[in-house]
Amino acid sequence: CNSSMAVSASTEKLMIEDAIKNLTTAMYKMDASVDKEDYIHALFVRGKLYMEISDYRRAGSDFREAAMKEEDINRSMSSSFWIMSAYAALMNDDISGFQMRLYSARLVDPSNPDAWYFTAMDLADQEKYDVAYEYFQKARDLGYAGDVTPEEESANYVAKNR
């Protein structure tokens, strides 16, 4: 049974790699300045495909490129691409890349609650609870509605017991 699962997983990976090749070929044929939105969408899709096969370096690169190209069109979407690029960097154990991309997400769209929340999570992991508390509050003020995490509880506890 395990060997059939391995064949299935390897077949799926080959299919995804084939889709990446086809998409890359189509992207080479696009004029990125004329077909800007299509090109950005293709970068996003290819980034997601790279994530599926755990190629986080290439995924992060595609999300980062999409974020930079999207800044002129839709700052909120650009911020979301920066967050996806940050996640890919984190999955690739690139902590400084993760932090820089979250900074870019906040810079491009300061109203994105996810950018503030994920930065707060990182600060709490570094035990910088006072600053993390402020970032968690900012994220909640901007509408972040996710569950309260242990990191957020720790920051709240430290801030309230200073």
Side-chain angles (χ1 to χ4, degrees):
C1 185
N2 286 342
S3 64
S4 67
M5 290 177 71
V7 170
S8 173
S10 72
T11 300
E12 181 178 356
K13 183 175 181 183
L14 288 172
M15 290 172 52
I16 291 171
E17 288 172 345
D18 191 46
I20 290 170
K21 285 179 196 172
N22 291 336
L23 184 55
T24 301
T25 300
M27 290 169 69
Y28 282 131
K29 294 177 182 175
M30 285 183 199
D31 181 348
S33 62
V34 174
D35 304 318
K36 193 169 188 173
E37 289 188 38
D38 289 339
Y39 189 77
I40 292 168
H41 182 74
L43 284 167
F44 169 74
V45 170
R46 191 172 69 178
K48 296 275 287 179
L49 290 170
Y50 280 132
M51 292 291 285
E52 288 290 320
I53 60 172
S54 301
D55 190 340
Y56 303 117
R57 185 183 58 76
R58 285 190 173 119
S61 177
D62 278 357
F63 292 141
R64 186 176 54 250
E65 186 178 348
M68 289 186 292
K69 290 186 180 308
E70 186 71 24
E71 283 181 16
D72 297 334
I73 300 169
N74 182 336
R75 296 182 79 70
S76 177
M77 183 60 74
S78 176
S79 181
S80 296
F81 287 149
W82 278 117
I83 291 170
M84 293 171 75
S85 180
Y87 177 71
L90 181 64
M91 296 302 295
N92 201 39
D93 295 324
D94 178 4
I95 302 304
S96 65
F98 169 72
Q99 293 166 339
M100 286 186 325
R101 288 169 179 91
L102 285 178
Y103 173 77
S104 295
R106 292 190 320 275
L107 189 64
V108 167
D109 182 10
S111 67
N112 185 325
D114 293 336
W116 292 95
Y117 194 83
F118 294 129
T119 302
M121 291 285 291
D122 180 49
L123 291 166
D125 285 344
Q126 297 175 50
E127 298 182 4
K128 297 178 180 178
Y129 296 114
D130 289 340
V131 180
Y133 173 79
E134 292 173 23
Y135 278 55
F136 280 125
Q137 291 303 309
K138 176 84 172 177
R140 295 290 178 186
D141 291 346
L142 291 171
Y144 186 83
D147 292 337
V148 174
T149 62
E151 292 85 355
E152 186 175 3
E153 287 178 359
S154 296
N156 290 342
Y157 177 81
V158 169
K160 290 177 183 170
N161 292 297
R162 307 182 226 186

